[in-house]
Amino acid sequence: MDSASGDEVEAVIHGGDTPTVPRKSTKRKAKAKARAKPPKAQKQGSGRPESVAWDHFDKIEAQDTADGIQRGICKYCRNEYMADPKMHGTSSMLAHITVCKKYPYNREPKGGQQTLSFEHKKDGFELVATSFSQGSARTALVEMVMLDELSFAFVEGAGFRKFCKALQPMFEPISRYTVARDVVKIFNREKAKLMNVLRGRRISLTTDTWTSIQNLNYMCLTAHFIDDDWKLHKRILNFCIVDDHKGDTIGKKIEACLLEWNIGGVFTITVDNASSNASAMRYLVKKTKDWEGTVLGHDYLHVRCCAHILNLIVSDGLEERAPSIACIREVVRYVRSSPSRLDSFKKCVLKEKIESKKYLCLDVPTRWNSTYLMLDAAQKFEKAFNRLHEEDSNFKAIFKDDEFSEGEEENENNGAFRGNRGSGENRGNGEKRKPTKEDWGDCRTFVHFLRLFYIATKRFSGSLYVTSDVFFKDMYVIQLEVEKLLKSSDILLSSMAFSMKEKLDKYWGKGDKMNLLLYVAAVLDPRKKLDYVEFCFIRLYGEDTANAMKQKVKHCLIRLFEDYVKHDKNSVEVPNVCLASASAMTIDDDFDDPHKALASQFSSYMEQQYSISSKSEVDKYLAESCEAEDDDSKFDILMWWKNNSVRYNVLSQVARDVLAFPVSTVASESAFSTGGRILDPFRSSLSPAMVEMLVCGQNWLRNDVPISLRKAMDDIEQYESYDSDEDLLLKISGSPNKNGLCDFVAIGLRI
């Protein structure tokens, strides 16, 4: 019995799926044994072959046990079995091996030859059995093509196939057409997963449009939501073609996408300030107002992109800027125009002993944030530029020193001298002006002031952390700084602040022109609450305006809370409490059984009590003291609400949706960077459907990538700064950039 059962289980354990290494013979002897099938090696002094079970069990002889029965202990999990050869045999031990959780050959699914490998663990390495699967390898290859934005023809390259052959000879090469078919399969698989996650969930959206190299209009629709574990997520839903940029066209396309995904609850939609987007929002409010997940009839659906508003404010202010920026731009352009000029400038930096990690970068005049970065870096090298003017004859010939020009007197009164110095552009004789001390002073003033806008824009542009709760604080600080500059004695700064103030009043007003949800988000920050909003408005506009805004914000929060109570399955509908009580009392008159009447009255009483308790969640939250103002980087607002969700059952649901909506459209705009890389000049023949699969599929697959890479891929400033010359060389040479990708990826690889 032992021999027969042992052979059967041995076939299961060491069959075709999991080969075993011969214990006392070489591979050559094992092959000969398989052909001749000789009898198994016999145990010393016995006529029966030893069971294979003892390869996996340690034997304890009968004389070494307390009850005098032979036992076997599993070498992997240390389970003990009776193994007396006459009474028990080895069947139970052989059966145990097939299900032993610590037996390495049971860890992988059967279906191919397995090999031993080391798997990294927290406390070291563990020996595990792995098997090669053509299907799994092919899926991983196609996912690599999608994640790394590789050309489909990459899989047909001679170098790649040579690498695969060296890595795994069993891998069968695939063609570009197989990759295209597998991309469709992976897209459908990931879309089904995401649809399951979004089922019954209320989300916030961002959207923007883009014209590709194919001269086609693409629209990106991105969903933002906080899951049940209070983690913020961002998923691209659609990257699709739109016929034009008209409002109704965009609105109809968004509606079609929502119906395709079976999404019935949209909390907010964040768009930029184009007039067509306002028309699209009006269309969507009209068409989706009666959907099941609609909140307050879409009164707060439309959210303007705050980063875009800041851009408009600063751009208007810089139109009044002095020629100082222009002449600094010219000297930076001179240094960056050739390697020899750059070397000369470096020598001047060394002689002046300037230590700075900033590196000179040339701005794009139409983008104020790049102008800020240029000025921020250039101001640190004022002495180096002055030395370059002394030692570089070519620089001195091009840039004349106007600071002590004949017939021109310096007038420091209210910047009058700066206003008469010229534009810094080419003069009639082809000469340009060297920056003076006043120019560098203006530069430092600009940098100090624009830093507030730059930091706020970067904070608003995040998509991996909550942004709705930071808007009010940053805008309040900006408002205060603009008000201070309006009173400045410097004509340059006061005129710039005046232009910014006009644009602020257009979009901000006295706080009443912004979506009230932006203030509700600040109230739902347990470190600030409603008192913070009132405090800031008092300092800006006085007590009357502050009290009015406080009441508006509180009323908005209460309306949201009551709407969530009405739709919350675990709460009682507040508006129907009195009606339910009256109905119960009417029915009580017809009851013959006083016990049933009492039970009905008690039920109505408890419903009313729970409703009153639910109503008081807002008052309870606002009445409690604020959390301590610690370092912003250490305070996790989502974790706070997660820990207090039991105390604030309904209010936490409000907080989940309010904190999830983004205050900028950067999440959708960043997808156009991906689309531009996918649709480069060498791959412009891709169909719109395939482009959507690649962009969306990459976004969905990246959910499994470590957060550091995902964050790097969301950076919108690819050329913010370079710490050294080596960083610039890395960028030029095609080494991984801040996005974790190489700029030359897919160049020359045709689809």
Side-chain angles (χ1 to χ4, degrees):
M1 179 185 70
D2 290 346
S3 178
S5 60
D7 292 340
E8 293 175 359
V9 180
E10 183 178 11
V12 174
I13 301 174
H14 303 298
D17 294 335
T18 310
T20 180
V21 179
R23 299 186 301 276
K24 297 181 180 180
S25 60
T26 62
K27 292 183 179 179
R28 179 176 54 79
K29 292 181 179 180
K31 292 180 180 179
K33 178 181 179 181
R35 290 193 299 268
K37 295 184 179 180
K40 293 185 178 181
Q42 294 183 352
K43 184 179 177 182
Q44 187 76 19
S46 173
R48 298 177 61 188
E50 187 178 46
S51 173
V52 70
W54 295 112
D55 292 342
H56 311 283
F57 281 80
D58 294 324
K59 183 184 295 186
I60 302 179
E61 299 294 343
Q63 59 269 23
D64 297 330
T65 61
D67 53 5
I69 299 177
Q70 180 176 298
R71 281 176 166 76
I73 299 179
C74 179
K75 294 180 178 180
Y76 314 108
C77 66
R78 309 309 295 174
N79 280 356
E80 185 176 318
Y81 290 87
M82 293 184 179
D84 185 271
K86 295 182 179 180
M87 294 187 296
H88 307 100
T90 58
S91 298
S92 58
M93 294 191 297
L94 291 171
H96 167 75
I97 292 300
T98 61
V99 296
C100 180
K101 294 182 178 180
K102 294 190 176 182
Y103 180 52
Y105 290 100
N106 289 337
R107 290 177 179 267
E108 295 292 333
K110 299 177 181 178
Q113 185 174 1
Q114 296 181 326
T115 57
L116 294 178
S117 63
F118 288 97
E119 182 178 305
H120 181 69
K121 299 291 183 180
K122 291 183 178 180
D123 54 349
F125 293 90
E126 182 179 358
L127 188 65
V128 298
T130 59
S131 61
F132 171 74
S133 170
Q134 174 70 19
S136 299
R138 197 173 93 178
T139 299
L141 174 58
V142 177
E143 289 181 355
M144 180 185 72
V145 171
M146 298 173 70
L147 282 169
D148 296 342
E149 299 168 9
L150 302 175
S151 169
F152 291 179
F154 173 81
V155 300
E156 297 178 349
F160 174 74
R161 293 194 170 185
K162 183 178 180 181
F163 170 76
C164 289
K165 186 176 181 180
L167 188 68
Q168 177 53 264
M170 297 175 64
F171 179 73
E172 299 177 3
I174 59 177
S175 67
R176 68 184 76 179
Y177 306 105
T178 303
V179 172
R181 288 192 295 269
D182 285 358
V183 166
V184 177
K185 294 179 182 178
I186 293 174
F187 172 82
N188 291 331
R189 180 196 72 192
E190 296 299 320
K191 183 176 182 179
K193 290 181 182 178
L194 184 56
M195 288 186 72
N196 186 54
V197 171
L198 296 178
R199 184 179 295 114
R201 190 182 298 275
R202 187 178 287 114
I203 63 173
S204 293
L205 299 173
T206 57
T207 184
D208 207 348
T209 54
W210 170 69
T211 302
S212 71
I213 194 175
Q214 305 163 311
N215 203 26
L216 296 175
N217 299 322
Y218 282 89
M219 182 192 75
C220 180
L221 187 66
T222 309
H224 305 260
F225 61 93
I226 295 174
D227 63 16
D228 297 333
D229 197 35
W230 289 86
K231 302 295 183 183
L232 182 65
H233 294 273
K234 177 197 72 174
R235 297 289 185 276
I236 296 177
L237 299 183
N238 294 90
F239 193 87
C240 52
I241 293 289
V242 289
D243 296 333
D244 51 58
H245 296 289
K246 295 180 181 179
D248 286 349
T249 304
I250 296 174
K252 290 177 181 178
K253 195 65 178 181
I254 294 175
E255 180 189 17
C257 293
L258 294 176
L259 292 173
E260 173 191 345
W261 283 89
N262 195 27
I263 294 174
V266 178
F267 189 67
T268 62
I269 302 180
T270 305
V271 293
D272 61 29
N273 295 286
S275 58
S276 59
N277 286 328
S279 301
M281 293 303 101
R282 288 193 294 269
Y283 175 87
L284 287 171
V285 168
K286 180 175 63 176
K287 294 297 183 181
T288 64
K289 191 173 183 179
D290 298 327
W291 286 11
E292 182 180 357
T294 300
V295 178
L296 299 179
H298 282 330
D299 290 347
Y300 308 106
L301 178 70
H302 185 189
V303 178
R304 297 179 183 272
C305 176
C306 299
H308 189 241
I309 292 176
L310 286 184
N311 184 58
L312 295 175
I313 293 171
V314 179
S315 298
D316 275 17
L318 291 184
E319 287 180 358
E320 304 292 335
R321 66 183 183 267
S324 303
I325 296 177
C327 64
I328 292 176
R329 179 184 296 116
E330 290 300 324
V331 295
V332 171
R333 181 181 286 117
Y334 173 86
V335 171
R336 292 291 304 272
S337 61
S338 72
S340 60
R341 292 176 177 179
L342 185 60
D343 289 340
S344 299
F345 181 75
K346 290 179 181 178
K347 293 177 182 178
C348 294
V349 172
L350 292 175
K351 291 178 181 178
E352 293 293 339
K353 299 180 180 180
I354 299 175
E355 296 182 1
S356 175
K357 293 184 178 181
K358 298 288 184 181
Y359 188 78
L360 286 181
C361 57
L362 192 61
D363 72 327
V364 179
T366 57
R367 296 183 61 189
W368 70 267
N369 50 350
S370 65
T371 302
Y372 162 78
L373 293 172
M374 179 191 71
L375 296 177
D376 188 32
Q379 65 166 336
K380 303 180 184 301
F381 299 100
E382 177 185 354
K383 294 181 179 180
F385 280 110
N386 292 335
R387 179 176 285 273
L388 186 66
H389 185 266
E390 298 172 359
E391 299 183 358
D392 189 336
S393 58
N394 189 33
F395 183 88
K396 191 171 185 178
I398 295 176
F399 298 95
K400 295 300 181 181
D401 190 352
D402 279 5
E403 192 165 2
F404 303 103
S405 295
E406 183 179 355
E408 190 172 48
E409 296 181 358
E410 183 175 0
N411 183 1
E412 297 181 357
N413 185 19
N414 294 333
F417 175 72
R418 294 195 298 271
N420 296 325
R421 284 196 305 237
S423 64
E425 303 296 334
N426 290 345
R427 301 179 181 179
N429 57 3
E431 295 177 351
K432 300 177 182 179
R433 181 172 62 82
K434 168 184 167 288
T436 62
K437 291 182 179 179
E438 289 75 16
D439 293 325
W440 290 111
D442 291 345
C443 171
R444 292 184 177 88
T445 302
F446 282 128
V447 168
H448 175 74
F449 182 63
L450 294 181
R451 184 176 288 114
L452 292 174
F453 290 87
Y454 181 75
I455 293 173
T457 301
K458 287 190 67 177
R459 190 176 287 126
F460 292 168
S461 303
S463 59
L464 297 175
Y465 54 86
V466 174
T467 59
S468 58
D469 66 321
V470 302
F471 163 80
F472 181 71
K473 180 178 69 173
D474 285 339
M475 288 301 295
Y476 167 71
V477 172
I478 289 173
Q479 280 272 64
L480 284 182
E481 291 299 318
V482 172
E483 293 289 343
K484 289 180 182 178
L485 286 184
L486 283 173
K487 303 174 184 178
S488 174
S489 59
D490 192 309
I491 295 178
L492 169 66
L493 295 179
S494 60
S495 62
M496 181 179 69
F498 181 77
S499 298
M500 290 183 173
K501 178 64 175 176
E502 287 185 335
K503 190 67 72 172
L504 271 170
D505 291 340
K506 177 181 178 181
Y507 291 106
W508 173 275
K510 289 189 176 181
D512 54 343
K513 294 185 178 181
M514 301 298 293
N515 193 317
L516 286 178
L517 292 182
L518 293 168
Y519 306 121
V520 172
V523 173
L524 291 175
D525 186 338
R527 298 168 297 173
K528 298 178 175 63
K529 300 189 178 181
L530 196 57
D531 293 336
Y532 182 81
V533 176
E534 182 183 20
F535 167 78
C536 293
F537 273 104
I538 288 176
R539 295 191 64 188
L540 286 175
Y541 307 111
E543 292 188 2
D544 293 339
T545 303
N547 289 332
M549 284 301 302
K550 177 181 178 181
Q551 295 304 320
K552 285 183 179 180
V553 174
K554 185 175 182 179
H555 179 64
C556 177
L557 177 58
I558 292 175
R559 287 184 64 202
L560 280 171
F561 175 76
E562 291 178 347
D563 189 79
Y564 275 66
V565 169
K566 182 169 58 177
H567 292 90
D568 184 23
K569 298 178 181 179
N570 299 321
S571 300
V572 180
E573 296 187 7
V574 176
N576 298 332
V577 172
C578 296
L579 180 62
S581 178
S583 176
M585 294 300 295
T586 303
I587 297 173
D588 288 346
D589 296 337
D590 299 331
F591 282 169
D592 295 331
D593 189 350
H595 296 284
K596 292 183 179 180
L598 178 61
S600 177
Q601 293 173 7
F602 178 71
S603 177
S604 299
Y605 169 78
M606 291 303 296
E607 287 180 357
Q608 187 175 5
Q609 290 299 112
Y610 281 122
S611 298
I612 293 173
S613 175
S614 297
K615 283 182 178 179
S616 64
E617 276 191 25
V618 174
D619 295 330
K620 180 181 177 182
Y621 170 76
L622 296 177
E624 291 183 352
S625 58
C626 298
E627 295 290 329
E629 281 279 358
D630 295 329
D631 185 5
D632 288 344
S633 61
K634 296 180 180 179
F635 183 80
D636 189 343
I637 188 172
L638 295 182
M639 184 58 64
W640 189 93
W641 277 105
K642 177 182 179 181
N643 295 335
N644 291 272
S645 58
V646 176
R647 297 174 57 216
Y648 305 111
N649 181 32
V650 179
L651 189 60
S652 64
Q653 299 176 35
V654 177
R656 177 180 298 176
D657 290 338
V658 171
L659 296 176
F661 81 84
V663 298
S664 76
T665 60
V666 172
S668 292
E669 291 174 359
S670 61
F672 301 146
S673 175
T674 302
R677 293 192 298 267
I678 290 175
L679 283 175
D680 65 8
F682 298 95
R683 307 176 71 187
S684 57
S685 60
L686 284 175
S687 67
M690 182 56 69
V691 172
E692 180 175 27
M693 291 180 185
L694 291 173
V695 173
C696 295
Q698 182 196 66
N699 178 262
W700 301 340
L701 290 172
R702 195 171 290 143
N703 182 43
D704 298 328
V705 176
I707 194 71
S708 57
L709 177 58
R710 290 173 56 207
K711 183 176 181 180
M713 292 297 294
D714 284 330
D715 287 344
I716 60 170
E717 298 293 342
Q718 298 185 12
Y719 302 97
E720 283 185 0
S721 61
Y722 296 101
D723 292 341
S724 62
D725 295 349
E726 287 75 14
D727 292 339
L728 181 62
L729 293 175
L730 285 175
K731 183 67 181 177
I732 297 173
S733 64
S735 298
N737 57 21
K738 294 179 68 177
N739 284 345
L741 300 172
C742 294
D743 288 343
F744 59 73
V745 166
I747 293 181
L749 303 178
R750 297 180 179 272
I751 184 63

